[in-house]
Amino acid sequence: MPRTPTTTPRPTPHDQAGTVPEPRVPDPVSVLVVEDDDTIRRAVQLALERYGYRVDVAADGLSGLEAFRAGGYDLLILDVMLPELDGIGLCHRIREESLVPVLMMSARGDALDVVAGLEAGADDYVIKPVDTPVLVARIRALLRRATFQPSQSPPPEAPDHVLVFGDLSVDTLGMEVRLAGRPVPLTPTELRLLLEFAAAPGSVLDRRRLLREVWDYGWEGDTRVVDLCVLRLRKKIGSGRIETVRGFGYKLVRD
């Protein structure tokens, strides 16, 4: 005689009241890729989706700007050479409105492309064609900087979480920087760079160390990234606050 299948009774509202809800699965990281080459755009999209990212794409700068304003993305990947509005101009527009992490892609290893992208406010860059693991590693490093939190929190009454250097103050708990009492908007990369300097005021930090600690490079990186980010940071906190030590690196002036 066939067995009658058994079913588990559905919990009643009374039963559910005492249960612990399932933990919420975090939303996937959302990425906007702006690339005019159909083959490259599709390849990057499919590669990142295989790693679990939610990816939207745009084929020109103006469409990318429109998508950025409508989307609320966690990270942007911009090609340098774009129709309608090039990647440098697009990055400038984005930086006027947001501190979202930006990764530039260039088909050439041209120094002018790299410098222009970083001066426009990009956090990092890659040269096409780029291997998927390298691209994903750069993305993860950018996202870690964007979500950086101190590893240890001092007691609320301890004043040493606010570091003061003349008219510049750095709150390492609130992740807030003020210059002469006014808040200074910094990108996540700029903030990580300033925190690295503030942790060792007066000490010279070489570019390789900064690439490792701020950009999270486990390989040899382009030190121009450091130089351009220092330049942007100086414009925001004062040109004399970070001093160049020729042949060695940079240091934060104590007062």
Side-chain angles (χ1 to χ4, degrees):
M1 181 174 180
R3 296 177 58 188
T4 303
T6 59
T7 59
T8 303
R10 180 175 298 177
T12 65
H14 176 75
D15 295 329
Q16 292 176 341
T19 61
V20 178
E22 290 290 331
R24 181 179 179 275
V25 177
D27 295 330
V29 172
S30 59
V31 178
L32 173 64
V33 177
V34 187
E35 164 64 62
D36 64 322
D37 185 293
D38 293 342
T39 302
I40 296 175
R41 185 175 63 248
R42 184 61 177 161
V44 171
Q45 180 180 17
L46 291 175
L48 294 184
E49 286 177 344
R50 283 197 296 270
Y51 276 82
Y53 296 100
R54 181 175 68 80
V55 183
D56 291 336
V57 297
D60 62 77
L62 291 180
S63 298
L65 181 61
E66 183 178 351
F68 154 72
R69 287 173 170 168
Y73 295 97
D74 298 303
L75 184 136
L76 309 179
I77 300 177
L78 312 180
D79 185 30
V80 172
M81 304 298 292
L82 293 171
E84 305 295 339
L85 175 66
D86 66 23
I88 308 302
L90 176 56
C91 190
H92 271 298
R93 297 275 193 93
I94 289 166
R95 279 292 170 255
E96 291 173 355
E97 304 176 24
S98 172
L99 300 177
V100 62
V102 174
L103 179 66
M104 301 293 294
M105 290 197 301
S106 174
R108 301 170 294 166
D110 186 69
L112 293 179
D113 283 350
V114 171
V115 170
L118 296 172
E119 285 184 333
D123 296 280
D124 202 353
Y125 75 96
V126 293
I127 300 298
K128 297 184 293 185
V130 57
D131 292 335
T132 298
V134 173
L135 179 61
V136 171
R138 297 288 184 91
I139 289 173
R140 287 174 175 169
L142 278 175
L143 293 172
R144 281 195 293 272
R145 297 202 292 276
T147 57
F148 171 74
Q149 293 293 333
S151 58
Q152 293 183 347
S153 299
E157 66 274 8
D160 51 347
H161 67 275
V162 178
L163 309 177
V164 179
F165 309 96
D167 59 354
L168 178 71
S169 66
V170 182
D171 184 341
T172 61
L173 289 186
M175 295 291 104
E176 184 179 50
V177 177
R178 289 181 175 271
L179 183 65
R182 296 183 177 181
V184 180
L186 299 179
T187 67
T189 301
E190 292 165 352
L191 178 57
R192 284 290 297 268
L193 181 61
L194 179 57
L195 288 171
E196 195 68 25
F197 281 123
S203 299
V204 179
L205 307 183
D206 66 71
R207 293 172 177 82
R208 296 297 177 190
R209 168 179 168 175
L210 293 171
L211 275 175
R212 184 177 64 251
E213 300 298 333
V214 177
W215 278 264
D216 203 13
Y217 277 12
W219 57 89
E220 291 296 308
D222 188 342
T223 57
R224 286 175 295 185
V225 176
V226 177
D227 297 333
L228 270 296
C229 193
V230 167
L231 179 63
R232 294 203 316 261
L233 186 57
R234 281 171 168 161
K235 291 178 179 179
K236 295 183 178 183
I237 66 171
S239 58
R241 183 60 58 189
I242 299 176
E243 182 179 302
T244 301
V245 181
R246 291 187 178 277
F248 293 94
Y250 300 98
K251 68 177 180 179
L252 181 68
V253 178
R254 289 179 178 272
D255 49 28

